[in-house]
Structure formats: structure tokens, C-alpha cells
Amino acid sequence: MSFTGAMQIAIGAHGWWRARQNSQALTATLESAGAVLISTSSFNLPLYERLRTNEKIRGVCIERGVVTKVELPKASTAKMGDSGQKCLRALTTGLLCLFSGHAVIQMLAEVIPQELLSLDQDGVSIKFEGPLRTSLSEYVRAVEIEEDSSNIRQEILQEVDQEVRTLGCGIKIQNTNWNSGSDFIKGRAFLKWCLAPLQRREAYYLTRSLLTWTLAAVLSQLGFQTIASQFVVFSQYQLESYLNQERNTDFDSTVYLVIDPNLASDPMEAEVVTSRLNLNDGICGTTFKARILPIRAIPWFAFHLLPGIDDRAIEQLAEIWDYTFETVRKSLKGPTMHTGNSMWCIPEDEREDCLVRNPWHKSLLRVWCPHLSYILKKPMTEFIKFQPELQEIADELESHGNSLRGNDWKFPPPSISSLYNSMTSIVLATLYAMVSLVTIDNGQLAGAYTEVGFNPYTAFSSRVGTWASSIGGKLIDRGRGWGPRADLFEMMTGTFMSRLSINRTSNDTLPHTEHSYGCQQNGVLLVSELLVRPTIDNVVRCMHRISIGQAITLPSDQNGFLRASAETRGIKVVSFPGKDVIGSLGPLLIEGSRGENGLRVDMEPDWEQDCTRVAMTLRHHGEVLETMSPTTVNKCIGDGIRFIVPCSCRSPSSQVKVPTEDRWQSIAFTDLLIHRGKQIRFPNGTKLVVDVGDDMLAQLFVLYSTIPRLTVLAKECMLCAYSAISAAERDNQSPTGIQTILLINGIP
């Protein structure tokens, strides 16, 4: 792709490099309302600029069948603008480390008017409504996209994670989980103190919220004058003794975590305005930011949220996860090159060892998905022991699962907590093991160390049941792949798709993603193999590539979806002239049928119709033949009957005699090129053989141009290929016959 094309993708209507423009737009909108952005005196600008010195944006290029990670050291816009704009950028970046864009917009809409504006006239108030609200939303969204792919955010979070682990000399904090709206309000109250001028605020700040303490640790690294102390306060006397001892060495603006329930804390909480915070609207799904982490770290990250859980219990849940993940991966096979198989299959000799027959175990799995019983015999036997009151427990599990519908999340009641957490670990590990078999990471199948986006509250939400029903059902579905689906996007990017403003199907709470072939969310790129390396193999409709970074060669829409261009293929159908009937099938039947075809397909924006959508531009020696919609190509691969036939007779043959009444005809690949990608009409009963050599794009082009009912790709033996055609024709008899194409690939 040219530099001009990449630049348009970056700065277009929904481009990833719009933070600078949107910052200027927000500033101009505020100025039109009689206000100017200013920096607070508690913001250390030189410290912030030093932090940003070595910043890099992680990019991902997808071209010519290769996914390449690149670093963009000059792409960051974080140091652009005046001091007021930089202060707002630092604050926005810090909030986006912990909160979703939706929550950050709400918080900034309250913070900016009170702390970061200078008004032209006294007595005038600014409210972020109407155009100001729109400008702020666009600004936060642009900053979020850029920061998601920046190395700075990940480095800050790693540093803060280490500080949390050593907080209070490593003591276990039991009553400071991020599980209520009050924690969110405490965090907002802290911002009021943090952004106040130094001379107007108390020397230290006491908080009962670990979220607030963590926010202080994040903002301190971004240049705000606050320190998250490692000292934990258990009593008033202890605090006074500590302050007296450290008065000469401790700094002002320190934040202390308070454990004593009788000690006054969060002094600014009563002053927080929460009119815009709908704290009952899914506090986890819309409030907290997903984290990028390896799949095997998910249980550690999720289960530490449980009230009162200790490290040993989390370690046991992680052990369950690891065992289940590896067991399921070894027991299942992913999609194969032969069309007709389900996405996952259990080998015949493995099925008895995988099938759950214990009625108690099956009753538990029914709470999530009964089809998971086909694969989970070993983990269930190893970790889920029989309990006498099984019916009552199963009923309570089901009741808790039903209560999640309509709510984002809820911790299990104590009576079933241990069993529920173990089952959740088994089910989630199974689902991630299954999707890892249809995901490619760095050229190999994804595994336990593949990084994904994950929201920890997902483990206690209705999404687990939704994923289990959708993905687990594929264990018995003999269809040909799911195509792009929202459940895979959710699992790998950590985004709640139901929160996005996108059309939904009438019978599904997830967005309609039929024409989406990838997703860019939370710094994670997931893209269909069809857009990376298109072939006629059905496997490309099942597989996806995952990478950390921002796609810089493919556009996405306002919700981060990589959407296919509209199907605008001309309906004109041309008739192909008849060819002489041949009596044998084999390679090199006619001159010029094999060789360098000069084909390439470029994935690029649909420049002519909608540049926010992805088109597949087919070129022949650099000249555009056709601009294809991925949806049309997807249908060409999926429709009809497709076979890739290896040799099973053990005596590969390069020629096979055929009856003349079969009326086989041979054509050169170049005969199809003159029609420039338009669909070619063949009479019913037509049988064509095309020698395309090893060119996968030539195979795809033949399929796209002809759309036959039956396609067979001969890879090793003409006799085996012809036998497969004969068997398929017998099974699909038609009074007028079916259109059949035999593609020859790899036969000398």
C-alpha cells in the first residue's frame, strides 16, 4: 500500500490517528463557548514530556499474505498542543488505563468544567451537552484508539501492578474489591482533590478504595503530583505515628489506603456530582477497561476479584484452568482443508475418553451448555467431586445463572461459590482452548501464552453462558464454519459487543456481524484469514489472525469492525463459447494453461464507494481486474460442494481416461481473464478442467468467475480426483446436471 493510502486510513473519518485533530476541535468548540483549557498547578509538564520521549505506537501491516508488526516512533500525538491540552491528554490517558472510554467521557464531562477551564466571563458555567459533549466523545475515542496501541499504557500498568503486589509489604487486602458503584464515585472524588491547586488541597488523602489508590499510582507516573504510598493505614494512632516519623522525608500529596472502617476517608466523596453516572447500568461492562494479557493469566486476573478469596484458592483455580486448556486442545482437531467437516472434531478413537457420562457432571454442564459434555470427561472427573446434595446444588447453580440474564455480572453466593468458580474455570478454559485452535498468532496456532484482551468481570457475567452456547454448539454442528462472529470478537478483544451502537439481529443481543471480517478493540487486532491469505479452502472462513497493535493498512468503522465492502458485482453474465470435448484428464492439456499468472490480491479500502470498508482488489500484472467484496468471495468459497482430494489409491496417476459422453472440456486460465471478473454462464451439465498450477489466487479467481456447483482440486492423483467427482455427481443428481470444475494443482 502507498504512503498516501496509509495516511488516508489513519486520518479518515474513523481513522486511528485523529487525536490531534479532535483535540483541536474540542479546544475550538470550548473557545466558541467562552472557555479555554488550562493546566492545573498539580501537573508537572516536564515530567510528562520525559515519559513520552520514548513512546512508540505498535502497528500491524497486512499485505500479500503476511502479517507484520511494525513500530511507529513518530506517530504519537501526546506531546502536541499547549500546556492545557497536554494536561487533558495526560489525565485522559491515565483514566483510560483503568476505565472504558464510555466511563472516561462521563468523568471528564464533570471534571473539565470544574478543574481545567478558564472562563471569559465570571458567573458563566459550562456544561458538556450538545456539541461540547460530541466534541469530548470524539476526542476521548481518538485518544483511546491511539493509547491502546502505545507502549506507554502497558508500561504504566506493569509498574502499577508491581506496586499493588507490594502494597503494605505484600499483605492481602480483603475488602477493597472494585465491585460497586461506590468505588467509582470514590475515584471521581479523588480526581477533585488531585486536580485542585496545590495550595488549596490537604497534604495527604485517605481512601478506602483500592481503585482510587491505583488511580493515584497511575496518575503519578503521568506527571500529576500525587504519590500512592505503600503504607497501609489500619488505625488512626498508626497513621499519626507514621506521619510524625516520616514528616521530614515523606512528600506532600500522598495517598494512603485505609483499612480501619472507623477512620474517616475519601473526604471529597460528598461533593461528587453523579447525575450522569448510571451506576446500575452494568458497572463492569461499561466502566472498566479490558487488559491485554496471556490466556493462561486469565484465571489469576479474574478470580482475584472475588471477596475474601486467598492466593491458594486462586492457584487451585489456575491449576484447573491449565489442565482443562491443555486437555481440550489435545482432544480436539481444528478445521481441516477438506470442506464438510465441522469447525472442531473429536477423533473417533478419542470420543469415549472425552464423553461425560456421569449424570451429576452432565447436570452441572447443562447450566452453561450441555454440548460441552462431549469433551470434558477428564477435567470434570479430576476436579469436580460428587456431593450428596447434588440436586439442590444444581438447582442453585442454574438459579444463579438465570439471574445473570439482564445483568452484566454478579458474584456467586457463598453456598455455591467454590463449585461455581471451579466450573467457571473449566468452562472458560474450554472455550479459550477451542478458539485457540481457530486463531493464528505469529504464524502458529494460538496457545496459552497468546495475548488477548480480557475484562475480568466477564468471568462472573452472562457472557460465559452465551459463549458456551454458541461455541460449544459447534461440537455437534456439521456446518462449514461460523464465519465472522461476535462471540469470537468478544473473547479475543475483551469488548462487550452488545454495548456498541451497531445494528443487531432480531433474535440476538450481540451485534449483527455477518459482514464483519475483523475487529480492532483495546489494542487487539483480530482479522479473518480470508483477508490475509484468501484461498478456495474452507479453512480461511474459520481461521483468524490475532496481533497486538493498530491495523495501519486496513480501515475500520466507528465501532472498530473491519467491514466488507458492498456487494456491487455486476449482474451481467456472459456466455462462454464451447470447447472441444476431451477424452482424458490431466495437466498441461493445452498450451499456456500453466505458468506465472501474474495475479495478486490487495486488501485495501473501497476507495470508490466507502473507504471505511475493506475491498479485495484483484490485479493482473498490476492492472485492476475486479474489486471484490469479501462477502462475495466468502459466499463463493462456501456455496456449492468443494473437495480438496489427496491420493488414497497409493498409485498416483497424472492422466485418467474419461467417457466422451461426459463431455469434459479444458480451458486455459487466460480464457477467463478477458471477462475481467464477471460471472461466466455455463450450460447445466458443463464439466471443465483448468490447470492452475500452484497459484492459489488463480484457483480463487476461477471459482469467483464461474461459481460452479461442484469444485474438485486435484493435488496428487487424477484418478482419485475423478473418483471423487463421480461420487459427488451420484449423490447430487439433477435432471439437467450440475456445473463441475476440476482444478489441477501440484500434479506434474
Side-chain angles (χ1 to χ4, degrees), residues 203-204 227 246-254 256:
Y204 59 88
I227 300 171
E246 302 295 331
R247 187 166 300 280
N248 294 325
T249 58
D250 211 2
F251 296 92
D252 289 341
S253 306
T254 303
Y256 298 99

Side-chain angles (χ1 to χ4, degrees), residues 4 107 109 164 178 252 414 443 454 457 736:
T4 303
M107 298 175 79
V164 171
W178 305 0
D252 289 341
F454 186 76
Y457 288 92
T736 58

Side-chain angles (χ1 to χ4, degrees), residues 714-726:
K715 295 182 69 67
E716 300 168 343
C717 176
M718 292 302 301
L719 178 60
C720 292
Y722 181 68
S723 299
I725 292 172
S726 301

Side-chain angles (χ1 to χ4, degrees), residues 308-552:
I309 193 168
D310 56 33
D311 290 340
R312 177 54 186 159
I314 298 177
E315 185 178 341
Q316 291 174 342
L317 292 170
E319 179 184 349
I320 293 173
W321 177 289
D322 293 340
Y323 180 88
T324 303
F325 185 86
E326 294 303 325
T327 300
V328 172
R329 278 178 57 89
K330 292 177 182 177
S331 302
L332 285 178
K333 287 187 177 180
T336 67
M337 303 294 279
H338 297 276
T339 302
N341 286 345
S342 58
M343 286 193 60
W344 298 279
C345 63
I346 307 171
E348 290 286 347
D349 57 348
E350 296 273 352
R351 291 185 179 179
E352 187 58 34
D353 291 336
C354 297
L355 180 62
V356 175
R357 295 192 179 277
N358 186 314
W360 156 241
H361 290 160
K362 293 174 73 172
S363 67
L364 294 178
L365 288 171
R366 275 197 294 270
V367 175
W368 285 269
C369 175
H371 305 313
L372 294 179
S373 61
Y374 286 96
I375 195 68
L376 286 178
K377 178 179 180 179
K378 291 180 181 178
M380 295 294 288
T381 303
E382 181 73 18
F383 297 107
I384 307 300
K385 305 305 180 183
F386 176 79
Q387 299 184 30
E389 58 279 6
L390 63 91
Q391 187 58 53
E392 292 80 0
I393 293 175
D395 290 344
E396 193 168 357
L397 280 173
E398 185 172 4
S399 175
H400 177 72
N402 291 337
S403 70
L404 294 175
R405 297 170 186 173
N407 297 301
D408 267 347
W409 68 283
K410 184 190 296 184
F411 291 136
S415 57
I416 60 169
S417 179
S418 177
L419 178 60
Y420 189 88
N421 295 334
S422 297
M423 288 298 302
T424 298
S425 187
I426 288 175
V427 171
L428 266 180
T430 300
L431 299 178
Y432 274 96
M434 292 176 69
V435 299
S436 72
L437 293 174
V438 294
T439 306
I440 299 173
D441 177 26
N442 288 325
Q444 300 179 339
L445 281 180
Y449 291 93
T450 293
E451 290 187 315
V452 300
F454 186 76
N455 187 319
Y457 288 92
T458 302
F460 314 103
S461 74
S462 59
R463 305 310 311 150
V464 178
T466 301
W467 296 345
S469 298
S470 175
I471 297 174
K474 291 294 179 181
L475 289 171
I476 61 170
D477 182 5
R478 296 296 173 182
R480 285 189 279 171
W482 57 15
R485 287 293 300 275
D487 39 32
L488 177 67
F489 294 166
E490 282 193 334
M491 289 183 65
M492 303 308 270
T493 68
T495 295
F496 285 71
M497 295 294 169
S498 58
R499 298 293 182 185
L500 300 180
S501 54
I502 176 174
N503 293 332
R504 305 175 187 175
T505 56
S506 58
N507 60 352
D508 196 352
T509 58
L510 295 178
H512 183 59
T513 56
E514 179 182 355
H515 302 296
S516 296
Y517 291 84
C519 182
Q520 175 86 62
Q521 293 286 344
N522 297 317
V524 180
L525 173 64
L526 191 73
V527 59
S528 170
E529 184 72 0
L530 181 67
L531 298 187
V532 178
R533 194 168 175 265
T535 71
I536 69 169
D537 301 327
N538 183 59
V539 69
V540 303
R541 304 176 69 236
C542 305
M543 303 297 293
H544 287 74
R545 299 282 185 109
I546 190 170
S547 188
I548 305 301
Q550 173 66 46
I552 59 177

Side-chain angles (χ1 to χ4, degrees), residues 92-103:
T92 305
T93 299
L95 293 175
L96 286 171
C97 286
L98 304 177
F99 304 104
S100 67
H102 171 75

Side-chain angles (χ1 to χ4, degrees), residues 582-587 589 654-658 664 689 718 722 742:
I582 58 177
S584 65
L585 305 179
L589 295 174
S654 60
Q655 296 281 340
V656 61
K657 297 290 185 180
V658 294
W664 278 95
V689 57
M718 292 302 301
Y722 181 68
L742 172 63

